[in-house]
Structures are given as structure tokens and as C-alpha cells.
Amino acid sequence: MRKSLIASAAFLLASSTAVLAQSATDGKVKIGILNDQSGVYADFGGKSSVEAAKMAVEDFGGKVLGVPVEIVDADHQNKPDIASNIARQWYDTEQVDAIMELTTSSVALAVQAIAKEKKKIDIVTGAATTDLTGKACSPYGFHWAYDTHALAVGTGGALVKQGGDSWFFLTADYAFGYSLEQQTTDYVKASGGTVVGAVRHPLSTQDFSSFLLQAQSSGAKVIGLANAGLDTSNAIKQAAEFGITQGGQHLAALLFTLAEVHGLGLEAAQGLTLTEGYYWNRDDESRAFAKKFFDRTGKMPNMIHTGTYSAVTQYLKAVQKAGTDETEAVAKTLHEMPVDDVFGRGGTVGPNGRMIHDMYLLQVKKPADSKEPWDYFNVLATIPGKEAYIDPAKSGCDLVK
């Protein structure tokens, strides 16, 4: 009997160990969506990104490794200190396994540093700075939807080719704006263009008049708006009041998405050239996803929303494949797995955490050319991922051998 009991105990121990190896470490998988839900980037990502994350969980079946998947969310108000406090609380006391979206580069950099310290996953879809996969890279950090280099190659490259070879920048005064200005400057100069000046404006400023007057008086052919969200929309509206485009200068909206075009309207936005990683009216698969998203949110998705859907889906696939939600195993699997979904078709993840995928150069249609609601873009070109993104070996990330 004693031998039988010992054998039974050994079997139970082995069985429980095997189950533990193929399960979530705390009986659930919890993902946090941390972004701007009330400020200048609320339409850019906001609550719609939260809905995209929930869609991804539902489409995955609501569970992974037999345990429920939970989405939590919070508004970081574009403040790195608030974001950092939320991230620490989520990681330390609320059993959050991964934090995603992270609109605003200064916020994303702060949270990625905490995730690295805590050995937790973060996947950025809302922020743009290449530092996330450059000098601030992390073995547990991933950058998913786009970055400033891809925007510079797309929008900046297109305008230089069209003769826009002198630039002046209106730049948001924080990490994202600096990175976007620098990346575009490098690309313009490498293409034979010049940069005649720049001015920086506070985030969420309401009055662009003094900045626009400096840009107008510079004589630059292109005024590069190195900002995003309502800042870009407001700058475009006020530029019209000064007759800037009527005077022959071109506005380059370096980070402008479907959401901002909708808010601005086709009449004001027509003719703008921009770069996104996704367009809802591209093909049947994109349209099918967009319809589901629209039914939930009342809007069509941009690259931030669809990128968040992709990031959550890929994370859950990695947990499933790794057989655990333990950080090291999931991060290793995320680096190894190809990405193939409605957003990242044929995508790969570099050793620096950059998800490399195609981008799209788009032009806003004239109102008369729009055939249905939200039909806003002509696709001018597909930019291959290897052209859009920095070679990981040249990114400055110390993880790249």
C-alpha cells in the first residue's frame, strides 16, 4: 500500500507540474490598454483601441491555455508620471501580464523602461519614436504599428520626389516630435533636399498663429507638421486662415490617420499625403474587419486600432504556442513567430522588437471622388517593410548582435 501511495503521489506531482507548465501562472491572462482617452489623441487611439483589444480576445475565443483573458484599460492623460504609476500598479499588484497601445512617445518610453525592470511584456502601437527599438530597446518590448522612420520614408519621400525639396517643421515639443522631425530631416537631406528651419509648439496648443507665420515667412516649399491628433488638425485649419497653401506652400501631415481626416472633413483635408499601416477599404479582408469594428464603435479603424487588434492577437498566439504566460517564454516566441493577420500580413519581428510590415502611402480624396462614408483615401503606393523600417543592425539597439 505504501508503494502504491508513493506512486500515486509521484503521478499527481508530475501531472500537476505538467499542467502548470501548460497554463497561465496565476489562473488568468490579463492585458492592459494604456492610452490617451480624453485628450489630443483620444480619437487617434482612445477607447476605440480598447474595443479593438476586446474584439481580438473575443475572436480568439475568450480564453488561452484554458484560462480567461481579461482586458483592463486606463487613461494616462499624456503624462509619463501618471502612466508610470498605473503601469507599476498593474504589474505589481493587479497581475497584468502585458501593457499595450501606449499613445505618446514619452509615455511609451517611460512604461517600456518599467516593463524592462519588471521583466514584463509591452507592445507599443500608439507611439512613434524609433528609440523604442533603438537606444531604449528592451528584450520584452515590441513596437508594432508604425514609427517615425516609416512616416519619414512614406510622406517625406513622396513629397521630395514631387519637388518639395525645401522644408520647415512645426514640431510637437516632446520625444515623438523630435524623432519625427529628425527622421524626416535625414530623409529629406539624403534625397537632395534642405531644411530651412523649425519651431516647436507645446502639446495641445490651441493657437498656432505665431508658429505658422514663422513657417510662412521661411519660404519653404513644404511645411512639415511633426505632430499628431488634434494638434495636426488645428494646425491645418489655422493654416487655411492664413492662406498658406493658396500661397504655394504645401502642408505635410507627417502623422495623420483616418480618424483625423474624418474629424477635419474632406473639404479641408483633400490632397493631403500621409502614411498609414492599414486602410479599411483596401480589400475584402480589411473591409470585413472594419465592418465589425464599425458596428461596435461607430467609426472605421485606423492603423492604431487595427494594430492593437493585431498586437493582442499575436500576444495570445504566443502564449498559446509557448504553453505559458511567463514573460521570457512569451517574449522569445513573439520574436520567432511570423505575423499574418488583417494588419501585419507577412510581418516579422526583428531582434530589437520592431515588427516589420508594409506601409501605405495615401492621398486624401476630393469630396466629389468619395463614393461612400469613410471612403477617404487613394492608395498611391505600398512601401515594403524593409524600406519603411530601420535595419535592426543599424537601429542602435544593444540586443542586436
Side-chain angles (χ1 to χ4, degrees), residues 167-322:
W167 287 62
F168 184 96
F169 288 96
L170 261 69
T171 302
D173 193 12
Y174 74 105
F176 152 69
Y178 312 151
S179 182
L180 185 51
E181 179 189 324
Q182 186 60 57
Q183 295 286 344
T184 308
T185 294
D186 291 345
Y187 202 82
V188 167
K189 289 182 176 179
S191 302
T194 59
V195 175
V196 300
V199 63
R200 291 175 175 174
H201 69 80
L203 181 66
S204 303
T205 188
Q206 298 299 309
D207 184 4
F208 282 88
S209 57
S210 65
F211 311 120
L212 287 167
L213 286 171
Q214 290 180 62
Q216 189 175 41
S217 64
S218 74
K221 294 179 182 177
V222 179
I223 299 171
L225 303 177
N227 48 23
L230 288 177
D231 280 344
T232 306
S233 296
N234 288 334
I236 292 170
K237 289 176 184 176
Q238 292 175 39
E241 296 171 8
F242 286 101
I244 286 177
T245 55
Q246 293 92 325
Q249 290 175 294
H250 189 99
L251 295 177
L254 293 168
L255 178 49
F256 210 54
T257 75
L258 186 79
E260 289 75 53
V261 172
H262 183 73
L264 190 59
L266 283 184
E267 189 65 40
Q270 61 182 308
L272 283 173
T273 302
L274 57 98
T275 304
E276 282 216 58
Y278 166 87
Y279 178 41
W280 76 269
N281 209 10
R282 184 179 60 195
D283 55 32
D284 289 343
E285 184 184 13
S286 297
R287 284 187 283 271
F289 172 81
K291 183 180 184 305
K292 287 177 62 177
F293 184 87
F294 184 88
D295 289 344
R296 296 176 72 116
T297 65
K299 64 177 67 173
M300 290 299 187
N302 64 11
M303 65 177 171
I304 313 305
H305 308 136
T306 315
T308 300
Y309 176 93
S310 172
V312 172
T313 300
Q314 193 74 357
Y315 174 77
L316 294 176
K317 287 179 179 178
V319 171
Q320 186 74 55
K321 185 173 183 179

Side-chain angles (χ1 to χ4, degrees), residues 20-340:
L20 184 60
Q22 291 290 320
S23 68
T25 53
D26 55 7
K28 63 179 177 295
V29 170
K30 199 169 182 179
I31 299 168
I33 304 299
L34 184 57
N35 62 3
D36 175 11
Q37 299 180 6
S38 58
V40 67
Y41 301 137
D43 288 336
F44 182 72
K47 282 291 188 180
S48 295
S49 288
V50 178
E51 286 302 311
K54 291 178 179 178
M55 277 180 65
V57 172
E58 291 168 15
D59 289 349
F60 199 82
K63 292 184 177 182
V64 62
L65 303 178
V67 301
V69 180
E70 181 181 351
I71 298 292
V72 295
D73 68 274
D75 183 355
H76 59 48
Q77 302 173 46
N78 295 311
K79 296 178 180 178
D81 56 340
I82 291 176
S84 296
N85 289 337
I86 293 169
R88 288 187 183 278
Q89 180 179 336
W90 277 358
Y91 284 144
D92 289 344
T93 65
E94 297 189 21
Q95 293 78 51
V96 169
D97 299 291
I99 296 177
M100 303 187 193
E101 221 268 41
L102 296 168
T103 309
T104 313
S105 291
S106 53
V107 164
L109 289 166
V111 172
Q112 180 155 291
I114 293 168
K116 184 177 182 180
E117 171 197 334
K118 302 289 183 183
K119 294 187 176 181
K120 293 284 191 176
I121 299 287
D122 74 277
I123 305 180
V124 178
T125 58
T129 178
T130 53
D131 285 351
L132 288 161
T133 50
K135 63 183 181 181
C137 69
S138 162
Y140 318 115
F142 300 86
H143 201 179
W144 216 251
Y146 72 107
D147 65 22
T148 51
H149 187 269
L151 300 176
V153 170
T155 308
L159 291 174
V160 173
K161 288 176 184 176
Q162 293 170 12
D165 55 4
S166 62
W167 287 62
F168 184 96
F169 288 96
L170 261 69
T171 302
D173 193 12
Y174 74 105
F176 152 69
Y178 312 151
S179 182
L180 185 51
E181 179 189 324
Q182 186 60 57
Q183 295 286 344
T184 308
T185 294
D186 291 345
Y187 202 82
V188 167
K189 289 182 176 179
S191 302
T194 59
V195 175
V196 300
V199 63
R200 291 175 175 174
H201 69 80
L203 181 66
S204 303
T205 188
Q206 298 299 309
D207 184 4
F208 282 88
S209 57
S210 65
F211 311 120
L212 287 167
L213 286 171
Q214 290 180 62
Q216 189 175 41
S217 64
S218 74
K221 294 179 182 177
V222 179
I223 299 171
L225 303 177
N227 48 23
L230 288 177
D231 280 344
T232 306
S233 296
N234 288 334
I236 292 170
K237 289 176 184 176
Q238 292 175 39
E241 296 171 8
F242 286 101
I244 286 177
T245 55
Q246 293 92 325
Q249 290 175 294
H250 189 99
L251 295 177
L254 293 168
L255 178 49
F256 210 54
T257 75
L258 186 79
E260 289 75 53
V261 172
H262 183 73
L264 190 59
L266 283 184
E267 189 65 40
Q270 61 182 308
L272 283 173
T273 302
L274 57 98
T275 304
E276 282 216 58
Y278 166 87
Y279 178 41
W280 76 269
N281 209 10
R282 184 179 60 195
D283 55 32
D284 289 343
E285 184 184 13
S286 297
R287 284 187 283 271
F289 172 81
K291 183 180 184 305
K292 287 177 62 177
F293 184 87
F294 184 88
D295 289 344
R296 296 176 72 116
T297 65
K299 64 177 67 173
M300 290 299 187
N302 64 11
M303 65 177 171
I304 313 305
H305 308 136
T306 315
T308 300
Y309 176 93
S310 172
V312 172
T313 300
Q314 193 74 357
Y315 174 77
L316 294 176
K317 287 179 179 178
V319 171
Q320 186 74 55
K321 185 173 183 179
T324 178
D325 64 353
E326 190 274 324
T327 297
E328 297 284 356
V330 175
K332 181 176 184 294
T333 306
L334 281 168
H335 277 101
E336 296 171 346
M337 288 174 57
V339 181
D340 195 8

Side-chain angles (χ1 to χ4, degrees), residues 360-391:
Y360 302 95
L361 182 65
L362 308 167
Q363 188 170 51
V364 180
K365 291 183 174 183
K366 296 176 181 177
D369 295 335
S370 179
K371 296 180 175 61
E372 60 182 309
W374 296 89
D375 175 33
Y376 294 159
F377 297 145
N378 289 313
V379 180
L380 300 180
T382 298
I383 306 165
K386 288 185 178 180
E387 293 180 18
Y389 295 103
I390 298 171
D391 181 344

